[in-house]
Amino acid sequence: MENKITRSKLYAFLFLSLVFCLFTSDLFSQYTKYWIQFTDKIGTPYTTSNPSAFLSARSIQRRINQGIAVVQNDLPITPSYINSVTAVPNVTLINRSKWFNAITIYTADTNALNTINNFSFVLNTKPVQRYGRKFGIEENPSPFTSTLKNGNPIPAQYNYGPSYNQINMIGGVCLHNQGFHGEGMVIAILDAGFYKADSLSVFDSLRLNNQILGTWDFVDNDTMVYDAHPHGSWVLSTLGGNLPGQIVGTAPKANYWLFRTEQAATEYVIEEDNWVSGAEYADSVGADVLSTSLGYTEFDDTTQNHTYADMDGNTARISIGTDMAVSKGMFAVCSAGNSGWSAWHFIGAPADADSVLAVGAVDSLKNYAGFSSTGPSFDGRVKPNVAAQGQDAVVSDLATGITYLSGTSFSGPITAGVVACLWQAHPTATNMQLFNAIEQTASQYNNPDSLLGYGISDFCAANNALGVFDNASSSLEIFNVYPNPFQTNISFLVQGTHSNIQSLQIDNLLGEKVFQTTLNSKQGNLNLSFLPRGVYVLSVKAEGRSYSSKLVKY
């Protein structure tokens, strides 16, 4: 029982909400699901010059906004390859991944596998799940009694009720008060099911305003996600819920895609593959933000277990897929995990991915929650990236009210909703500009640790920091700094007949001065190797005027 809890990917504090039945290993007698990877995309009818054939207008526009090209891994899999595999007797197609150029199939026929392996266009075949019986799942009420004090110390547009603290802690109320509630943004939630989300009153507003754009179950291959696990409903309530006086989500006016990629009762590598398929679909329909409260370390088939060495961002398929999703211009947020009290205790996949914002958990008083998985990644990167309230989080119950659950399952989506609001406030920003601003305005950016990473997010500060770059100044034609981004040195130049630079200053995104020098020159060179990687504001004074520019160190 303890092993199952500590390795589960459902990042709610599972002993608060789930009880798994025991199983016997002899039920897992043979593999039935396989990952088939192809050698190439020769013969595909699709081209990168006509992306509208396989990407939505919104997906294409997201790439244009961020200067992202459509490349070969965007192309769908060669149809004839898929048709050849599925034409083999006793083979059923489950999912497909254009990023990995692979499909997932079902077959219990070893002769069918031999036939597939002999195809010249098949690169490899890997088992991803055996036949097995589902665990029984039983919902239990939380034994926690909330200790939150839920007054509204600053004016608020919503009657947040007990959910006020978890939103205000990371600056969400600040953004709401400025008019950013997620309008026009699209969030894709990849989870284990959204039980009763089509009828719960907490989602009345989403249904009334057609904010649920669509659903897909990548486990059962149908649109019905409302008959599976309730975990996704709890998650959705922290994002898009609205029960005045009880709970308001962090992005109550955003639009949502609801994807089931996780089969909660069992733990197999196929669920990583389901997730990749879900992320690709989210990309194709134009999602902006991915919210994932799932993570993977160990499996029911122990031969496929991940090790800590795998937590390097480049080994687990779901982690590689997450970075690919970000490379397409989406912003990926995931929960760090609930292994803090276990022997494993480290983050799982995809929290180890380089470009994912992995979110740890704190309590209502901003103290580290002991269950929250810790970093660093195996290759030494700061993980989790940031933290938010995950202990005693307010979520919808499965009736007409709320309950309190604990886990990074909730600190992650609480954060993802505010990410959407922040992007709404700065629509010309790239996903990585948002990412950098969120990290660099967090509570302990200058002294990150393995518990909370860069600390508790402050989206109000991130909003202010990004505001510096919203309106590009014509002064950039007068004052040039290069290279930008830079690694060690920068050169600067005032063009034309303008006077010499009197002073040069560099501030971080918190507005703190990190460098200043006095000059009497129109040009020069500076060694800034001492600065940490990040985004800065460089300002100069010349001819009685001030000029500023964004400066990025990588």
Side-chain angles (χ1 to χ4, degrees):
M1 183 70 163
E2 178 62 19
N3 287 340
K4 185 61 184 179
I5 290 175
T6 58
R7 63 186 168 86
S8 179
K9 63 283 183 182
L10 289 180
Y11 285 159
F13 217 7
L14 288 186
F15 65 84
L16 304 182
S17 58
L18 305 176
V19 172
F20 288 134
C21 295
L22 297 177
F23 69 94
T24 56
S25 60
D26 62 340
L27 291 174
F28 299 88
S29 57
Q30 68 176 49
Y31 290 103
T32 57
K33 295 179 181 178
Y34 299 84
W35 170 266
I36 312 296
Q37 193 164 26
F38 300 118
T39 55
D40 53 58
K41 292 185 176 180
I42 294 173
T44 179
Y46 303 99
T47 64
T48 57
S49 61
N50 185 27
S52 60
F54 50 89
L55 295 174
S56 68
R58 184 182 174 90
S59 178
I60 295 170
Q61 189 62 51
R62 186 186 63 236
R63 286 165 165 79
I64 293 172
N65 292 346
Q66 300 180 67
I68 297 171
V70 177
V71 296
Q72 187 183 35
N73 69 12
D74 288 305
L75 299 177
I77 301 167
T78 301
S80 62
Y81 293 174
I82 299 176
N83 294 338
S84 295
V85 172
T86 55
V88 175
N90 302 317
V91 170
T92 302
L93 177 67
I94 299 176
N95 285 317
R96 63 192 77 194
S97 169
K98 60 185 179 182
W99 294 345
F100 287 92
N101 198 23
I103 60 175
T104 307
I105 65 166
Y106 171 89
T107 184
D109 186 345
T110 56
N111 291 327
L113 285 174
N114 291 334
T115 300
I116 293 169
N117 280 321
N118 286 328
F119 288 143
S120 61
F121 50 82
V122 170
L123 180 64
N124 58 58
T125 301
K126 297 180 180 179
V128 290
Q129 184 171 334
R130 299 188 185 198
Y131 173 80
R133 183 183 64 187
K134 289 187 177 182
F135 300 105
I137 298 177
E138 177 184 347
E139 181 188 355
N140 292 320
S142 169
F144 276 127
T145 299
S146 176
T147 58
L148 301 181
K149 306 298 183 183
N150 292 294
N152 284 7
I154 64 173
Q157 291 190 356
Y158 295 100
N159 182 5
Y160 295 99
S163 68
Y164 176 84
N165 191 73
Q166 64 198 36
I167 302 174
N168 187 57
M169 180 184 294
I170 59 174
V173 172
C174 173
L175 288 185
H176 288 177
N177 285 347
Q178 294 182 57
F180 306 113
H181 320 100
E183 292 95 334
M185 303 303 294
V186 177
I187 301 173
I189 305 175
L190 297 90
D191 213 283
F194 301 84
Y195 181 65
K196 294 180 67 174
D198 56 341
S199 60
L200 290 171
S201 56
V202 69
F203 304 125
D204 283 351
S205 295
L206 296 185
R207 293 192 295 271
L208 179 65
N209 298 316
N210 297 313
Q211 289 171 246
I212 298 178
L213 301 180
T215 63
W216 189 257
D217 186 331
F218 290 88
V219 178
D220 293 336
N221 286 297
D222 57 38
T223 60
M224 178 48 68
V225 299
Y226 302 122
D227 59 351
H229 201 277
H231 188 269
S233 297
W234 297 327
V235 165
L236 178 60
S237 70
T238 69
L239 283 154
N242 191 357
L243 279 178
Q246 297 188 76
I247 182 174
V248 176
T250 48
K253 295 189 178 180
N255 296 316
Y256 293 90
W257 283 90
L258 308 182
F259 298 141
R260 180 187 178 218
T261 65
E262 165 64 32
Q263 186 169 328
T266 56
E267 187 90 307
Y268 285 100
V269 172
I270 191 175
E271 290 157 327
E272 294 191 31
D273 303 337
N274 295 344
W275 188 96
V276 171
S277 295
E280 291 182 12
Y281 191 73
D283 168 39
S284 69
V285 296
D288 302 300
V289 178
L290 300 179
S291 180
T292 305
S293 294
L294 307 172
Y296 301 90
T297 56
E298 298 176 343
F299 300 96
D300 292 342
D301 179 359
T302 58
T303 65
Q304 298 180 329
N305 282 354
H306 291 312
T307 66
Y308 178 50
D310 293 338
M311 299 299 107
D312 60 357
N314 297 307
T315 300
R317 203 137 57 217
I318 191 173
S319 301
I320 300 170
T322 301
D323 282 342
M324 286 185 176
V326 175
S327 76
K328 307 305 178 185
M330 293 183 286
F331 194 109
V333 182
C334 80
S335 301
N338 295 331
S339 299
W341 285 336
S342 76
W344 171 276
H345 76 80
F346 291 111
I347 55 168
D352 65 316
D354 178 73
S355 301
V356 71
L357 191 75
V359 185
V362 296
D363 65 15
S364 63
L365 300 177
K366 303 183 179 182
N367 300 310
Y368 166 69
F371 57 80
S372 185
S373 293
T374 65
S377 62
F378 181 75
D379 55 328
R381 288 173 289 111
V382 173
K383 289 290 179 177
N385 300 85
V386 294
Q389 185 172 341
Q391 182 168 321
D392 258 351
V394 180
V395 304
S396 171
D397 61 18
L398 299 180
T400 59
I402 58 173
T403 187
Y404 296 87
L405 295 177
S406 294
T408 59
S409 270
F410 310 115
S411 59
I414 286 169
T415 300
V418 192
V419 169
C421 295
L422 182 66
W423 213 345
Q424 178 195 0
H426 303 276
T428 62
T430 67
N431 55 359
M432 294 315 295
Q433 286 173 334
L434 294 171
F435 189 100
N436 290 331
I438 293 165
E439 281 193 336
Q440 293 176 38
T441 54
S443 62
Q444 54 186 44
Y445 176 70
N446 292 323
N447 295 287
D449 60 28
S450 62
L451 303 179
L452 305 181
Y454 292 110
I456 298 170
S457 302
D458 184 346
F459 281 86
C460 199
N463 182 41
N464 293 335
L466 286 166
V468 173
F469 311 127
D470 279 348
N471 298 307
S473 171
S474 61
S475 68
L476 295 180
E477 299 176 3
I478 301 170
F479 174 66
N480 289 331
V481 56
Y482 54 92
N484 191 12
F486 74 99
Q487 190 168 18
T488 55
N489 290 61
I490 63 168
S491 297
F492 54 89
L493 170 68
V494 175
Q495 298 176 333
T497 60
H498 292 271
S499 300
N500 292 345
I501 298 173
Q502 282 85 51
S503 65
L504 181 150
Q505 180 172 318
I506 299 175
D507 298 330
N508 62 24
L509 289 185
L510 292 173
E512 300 168 336
K513 181 171 62 179
V514 296
F515 177 79
Q516 185 177 35
T517 186
T518 301
L519 302 166
N520 187 28
S521 173
K522 288 186 177 181
Q523 61 184 20
N525 183 277
L526 292 173
N527 186 322
L528 300 176
S529 58
F530 63 90
L531 289 178
R533 291 193 308 168
V535 181
Y536 299 89
V537 179
L538 184 149
S539 304
V540 298
K541 292 183 178 180
E543 200 184 47
R545 300 165 68 183
S546 296
Y547 308 108
S548 63
S549 173
K550 178 175 65 175
L551 187 64
V552 180
K553 181 175 182 182
Y554 64 91

